[in-house]
């Protein structure tokens, strides 16, 4: 929202402009106001360790639409994140949060970590600013506002993770450490100039594999190495390391290393990053704690700790490295004065929702056969509501007439959903409301459902409460559907009709005397109707009695969603 408010995405000069103010507290102290491209920071009180500021800004919105003002909290929050990051301080709208995070003494015996001991400057009780820093902040902020929109959103996500890491130091050291790795991982995803080599493979495993490969021909050995190098984890690690090393400049080891206790050396970087990535992976996948030595303030005050000759990067070293890489990477990105972008989708509180089928299912403009699957999905969702809650169906006469023409010439993938929709729609209506000539169309095309398909299974289950194929064909069709139903282009059967199909499978297996499969599918029906206690009790009773399911009874009672009325 902070970037949107600069106006770089607006096409007109006709704007809603509202003045806004936010209160920020920080351990960074500066005596004068700071004028920036997004607003003005006015010092209110810089006596003592915590300084109070008023951030004054203009909330700008291009006129058009119903919104006049929104997103003030985001403007303040994003400015706060950038301010904290650049000055390497701690800033928050809550004074108590600053006091707590920048404490130098433990609050009580349960206060395990003091952030100051592991993050240095960020949690100094008071940081005295200087004019050069303030000037550089203005330049930095201007450059960030000029970022391409997607890069700016990526930056905000990084800064949120960076700030959350600092806060997490109070209660979870592993989480704080891992968040910095996530931060670097997120921006490394756009970096593709990498290719793992055999030397990047885990050294302990590599030695064992090399011993085995030494007995093979070189060509065979190289082929096996190539396969092993396709390992996704290895590729991600290599990309992570290559991205970071390509965004470190010499100043990190020279000017910025001045006064640092045990600073990172260039020759250590690759191994340090490999170890850090491993620490993150072990914590994420098995909640394995970081080695205790890195949690000791005496060791954590430096940037590198060697254990058994293997260098480990401390939180303090990782924090400085993360700050350097983020700053370098985003400062190197292209700066745009204006950009064509649909900024309204990024406004706070704006979310995309799926439109109810009644708004689009009957639309036949520019119809193509590819629309037959989403049309069937939309119709099924309406049909479910019609069965259970007696809600009306959308009038689809025009669509049915198009189907009459398209069915014979469409590919099977799209023909079957059309036939299914056509049959189900017409047979749910009173005779006088059905499409003219529907009997002939159904008679001519119904045979397409004879070959096992989920459309055939679905259509017969709804129309006749029976399945058209033999037991194992029906089971196979449904299992294949169940495996692929979450694919974007798949048919989506509502749970009401899925249950119909499964209950039919239960009865088929019962009729064939296959009690094991009967119990398997009955259990599936019970476990896939959570919350419907009456139905579950009924199905459990059938299982105990080893009886058939009266599907007609359950449908008439709406699967017991509405309890039976007691006879008067």
């Amino acid at each position: 929202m902070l970037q949107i408010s600069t106006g770089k995405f607006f096409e007109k000069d006709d704007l809603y402009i509202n003045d806004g103010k936010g209160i920020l507290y920080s351990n960074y102290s500066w005596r004068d106001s700071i004028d920036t491209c997004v607003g003005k920071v006015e010092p209110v009180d810089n006596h003592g360790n915590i300084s109070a500021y008023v951030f004054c800004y203009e909330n700008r919105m291009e006129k058009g639409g119903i919104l006049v003002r929104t997103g003030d909290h985001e403007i303040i929050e994003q400015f706060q994140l950038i301010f904290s990051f650049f000055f390497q301080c701690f800033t928050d709208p809550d004074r108590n949060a600053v006091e707590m995070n920048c404490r130098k003494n433990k609050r009580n015996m349960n206060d395990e970590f003091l952030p100051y001991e592991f993050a240095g400057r960020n949690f100094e009780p008071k940081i005295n600013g200087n004019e050069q820093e303030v000037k550089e902040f203005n330049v930095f902020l201007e450059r960030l506002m000029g970022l391409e929109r997607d890069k700016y959103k990526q930056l905000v996500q990084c800064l949120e993770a960076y700030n959350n890491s600092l806060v997490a130091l109070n209660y979870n050291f592993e989480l704080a450490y891992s968040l910095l790795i996530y931060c670097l991982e997120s921006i490394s995803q756009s970096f593709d100039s990498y290719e793992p080599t055999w030397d990047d493979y885990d050294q302990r495993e590599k030695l064992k594999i090399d011993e085995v490969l030494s007995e093979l021909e070189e060509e065979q050995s190289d082929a096996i190495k190539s396969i092993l190098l396709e390992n996704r984890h290895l590729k991600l690690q290599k990309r992570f390391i290559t991205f970071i090393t390509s965004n470190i400049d010499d100043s990190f080891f020279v000017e910025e290393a001045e006064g640092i206790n045990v600073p990172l050396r260039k020759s250590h970087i690759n191994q340090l990053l490999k170890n850090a990535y491993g620490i993150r992976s072990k914590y994420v996948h098995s909640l394995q704690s970081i080695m205790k030595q890195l949690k000791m303030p005496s060791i954590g005050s430096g940037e590198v700790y060697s254990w058994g000759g293997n260098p480990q990067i401390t939180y303090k070293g990782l924090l400085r490295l993360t700050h350097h890489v983020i700053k370098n990477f985003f400062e190197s990105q292209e700066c745009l004065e204006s950009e064509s972008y649909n900024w309204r989708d990024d406004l706070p509180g704006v979310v995309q929702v799926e439109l109810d089928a009644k708004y689009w299912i009957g639309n036949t403009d520019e119809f193509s056969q590819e629309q037959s699957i989403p049309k069937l999905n939309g119709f099924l969702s309406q049909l479910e509501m019609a069965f259970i809650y007696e809600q009306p169906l959308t009038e689809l006469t025009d669509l049915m007439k198009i189907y009459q023409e398209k069915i014979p010439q469409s590919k099977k993938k799209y023909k079957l959903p059309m036939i299914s929709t056509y049959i189900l729609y017409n047979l749910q209506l009173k005779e006088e409301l059905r499409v003219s000539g529907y009997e002939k169309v159904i008679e001519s095309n119904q045979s397409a459902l004879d070959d096992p398909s989920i459309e055939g299974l679905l259509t017969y289950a709804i129309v006749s409460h029976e399945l058209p194929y033999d037991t194992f064909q029906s089971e196979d069709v449904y299992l294949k559907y169940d495996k692929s139903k979450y694919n974007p282009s798949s048919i989506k059967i509502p749970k009401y009709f899925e249950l119909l199909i499964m209950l039919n499978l239960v009865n088929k297996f019962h009729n064939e005397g296959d009690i094991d499969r009967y119990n398997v599918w009955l259990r599936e029906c019970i476990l896939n109707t959570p919350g419907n206690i009456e139905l579950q009790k009924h199905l459990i009773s059938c299982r105990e009695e080893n009886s058939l399911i009266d599907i007609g009874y359950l449908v008439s009672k709406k699967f017991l969603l509405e309890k039976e009325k007691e006879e008067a």
Side-chain angles (χ1 to χ4, degrees), residues 29 133 140 163 184 303 404 410 551:
S29 176
E133 277 183 334
F140 180 70
N163 190 68
L184 293 170
E303 293 189 339
Q404 289 176 175
S410 295
I551 297 175

Side-chain angles (χ1 to χ4, degrees), residues 363-563:
N363 185 359
T364 57
D365 294 342
E366 300 180 0
F367 177 82
S368 66
Q369 61 177 358
E370 288 77 13
Q371 295 176 23
S372 64
I373 295 176
K375 294 279 190 188
L376 173 59
N377 293 340
F379 175 70
L380 290 174
S381 68
Q382 283 198 341
L383 191 59
E384 181 185 43
M385 293 298 101
F387 275 19
I388 299 175
Y389 303 110
E390 299 181 359
Q391 291 184 6
L393 296 172
T394 299
E395 206 278 322
L396 298 177
T397 302
D398 290 341
L399 180 64
M400 294 302 104
K401 289 178 178 178
I402 289 176
Y403 278 8
Q404 289 176 175
E405 297 174 8
K406 296 282 187 182
I407 286 172
Q409 52 192 273
S410 295
K411 295 178 181 178
K412 184 179 180 180
K413 178 181 179 180
Y414 306 114
K415 177 185 292 189
L416 295 180
M418 288 186 201
I419 295 172
S420 181
T421 307
Y422 191 91
I423 293 173
L424 291 173
Y425 177 74
N426 280 285
L427 296 188
Q428 299 310 312
L429 302 177
K430 294 179 180 178
E431 184 68 36
E432 63 270 20
L433 297 176
R434 295 173 182 175
V435 179
S436 176
Y438 79 92
E439 303 103 322
K440 186 176 180 181
V441 175
I442 292 176
E443 186 179 345
S444 301
N445 295 286
Q446 191 170 354
S447 60
L449 299 178
D450 290 346
D451 291 333
S453 67
I454 190 61
E455 292 88 351
L457 213 60
L458 168 72
T459 305
Y460 280 91
I462 294 174
V463 172
S464 63
H465 300 164
E466 293 181 356
L467 303 182
Y469 318 122
D470 70 45
T471 307
F472 288 100
Q473 279 182 327
S474 298
E475 182 183 44
D476 184 58
V477 167
Y478 187 77
L479 289 174
K480 286 178 179 176
Y481 152 76
D482 194 54
K483 189 175 181 179
S484 64
K485 66 183 179 182
Y486 298 114
N487 295 339
S489 60
S490 294
I491 290 174
K492 308 290 188 294
I493 301 177
K495 61 182 180 181
Y496 182 98
F497 301 130
E498 284 189 343
L499 185 58
L500 260 181
I501 296 172
M502 289 193 290
L503 288 172
N504 273 284
L505 282 170
V506 169
N507 283 347
K508 269 185 167 290
F509 281 114
H510 184 278
N511 290 334
E512 293 190 1
D514 191 336
I515 302 304
D516 287 341
R517 300 307 294 166
Y518 165 85
N519 283 319
V520 165
W521 281 103
L522 194 47
R523 180 173 180 267
E524 283 297 305
C525 293
I526 294 168
L527 299 183
N528 280 288
T529 53
N532 191 344
I533 301 299
E534 293 300 313
L535 177 59
Q536 288 177 324
K537 285 180 179 178
H538 179 81
L539 295 178
I540 289 170
S541 174
C542 290
R543 183 173 63 182
E544 291 172 349
E545 296 171 6
N546 192 24
S547 63
L548 281 169
I549 310 296
D550 187 343
I551 297 175
Y553 166 77
L554 292 180
V555 170
S556 69
K557 297 300 179 181
K558 300 180 181 179
F559 286 137
L560 304 183
L561 286 170
E562 295 180 359
K563 295 182 180 179

